[in-house]
């Protein structure tokens, strides 16, 4: 019978769904232990995760069986995870924690700290003569706004920032950079436009 994966973060008693029935494992669940939240209040804090398979009974109902898993983090600057599923916060932001057992994987999103307000960078032709420089804390969402004409944001070398169009009168979706550093970018439509984003 085909195994389906379902992932969520919740304390014991959370819910899940599956389209299969029968006695074989139906779901891999990544679950925070002893808490209702997947958030860590501040850098340095920890959170225990565990991985479970949901086994459907022959006559309905299901049971969560804890399984051994290997663990990884999508962003080790924000959060690392050890071999026992203990997540340690690094900087404010979010990271996706993945548990793997056999061919099954499950993911849980962990948030460190309160999400800071987004910083809007004005990206206009004036950047041709006065380059734009913006300094933000690691994990702060940034976005670009154009009021005069259409522009783009393109990293001088490799991203970040990710390439994005900034059409006249619009604001781009936010980008969150968690790795500290100085990032230079320009407009591919007006190449003399230069910008610098400093992540501290």
């Amino acid at each position: 019978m085909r195994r389906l994966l379902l992932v969520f973060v919740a304390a014991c008693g959370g819910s899940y769904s599956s389209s299969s029935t029968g006695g074989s494992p139906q779901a891999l669940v990544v679950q925070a232990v002893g808490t209702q939240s997947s958030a860590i209040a501040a850098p340095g804090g920890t959170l225990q995760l565990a991985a479970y398979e949901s086994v459907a009974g022959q006559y309905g109902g299901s049971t969560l069986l804890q399984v051994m898993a290997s663990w990884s983090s999508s962003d080790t600057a924000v959060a690392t995870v050890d071999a026992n599923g203990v997540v340690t916060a690094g900087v404010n932001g979010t990271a996706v924690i993945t548990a793997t057992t056999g061919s099954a994987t499950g993911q849980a999103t962990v948030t460190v700290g309160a999400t800071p307000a987004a910083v809007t960078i004005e990206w206009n032709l004036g950047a041709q003569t006065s380059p734009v420089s913006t300094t933000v804390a690691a994990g702060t969402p940034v976005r670009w706004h154009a009021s005069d004409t259409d522009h783009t944001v393109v990293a001088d070398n490799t991203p970040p920032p990710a390439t994005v169009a900034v059409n006249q009168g619009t604001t781009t979706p936010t980008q969150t950079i968690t790795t500290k550093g100085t990032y230079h970018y320009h407009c591919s439509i007006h190449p003399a436009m230069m910008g610098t984003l400093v992540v501290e």
Side-chain angles (χ1 to χ4, degrees):
M1 179 174 291
R2 182 169 175 260
R3 171 179 290 177
L4 299 182
L5 301 184
L6 174 73
V7 179
F8 67 100
V9 175
C12 293
S15 62
Y16 63 92
S17 63
S18 174
S19 62
S20 298
T21 59
S24 60
Q26 302 301 316
L28 182 66
V29 178
V30 175
Q31 184 166 293
V33 176
T35 177
Q36 296 282 348
S37 173
S38 62
I40 302 176
T46 61
L47 177 71
Q48 175 70 64
L49 296 180
Y52 302 84
E53 282 187 337
S54 176
V55 179
Q58 183 176 0
Y59 302 104
S62 61
T63 301
L64 287 179
L65 300 178
Q66 187 170 356
V67 296
M68 298 295 293
S70 59
W71 298 87
S72 63
S73 171
S74 66
D75 192 332
T76 55
V78 173
T80 59
V81 58
D82 68 13
N84 298 312
V86 177
V87 180
T88 301
V91 298
N92 289 347
T94 60
V96 177
I97 306 301
T98 300
T100 302
T101 178
S103 61
T105 62
Q107 294 180 329
T109 299
V110 173
T111 301
V112 178
T115 302
V119 172
T120 301
I121 300 171
E122 291 298 329
W123 190 227
N124 296 308
L125 289 172
Q128 295 180 115
T129 54
S130 298
V132 174
S133 182
T134 309
T135 300
V136 299
T140 301
V142 295
R143 58 194 178 189
W144 287 263
H145 174 263
S147 60
D148 53 1
T149 188
D150 294 346
H151 301 293
T152 63
V153 170
V154 180
D156 285 1
N157 296 303
T158 58
T163 298
V164 65
V166 195
N167 295 326
Q168 182 179 6
T170 68
T171 302
T172 68
T174 59
Q175 298 185 33
T176 301
I177 302 171
T178 57
T179 302
K180 296 179 181 180
T182 300
Y183 304 97
H184 301 286
Y185 59 93
H186 62 276
C187 173
S188 61
I189 302 172
H190 310 97
M193 290 176 59
M194 306 298 295
T196 300
L197 181 61
V198 180
V199 180
E200 297 181 335

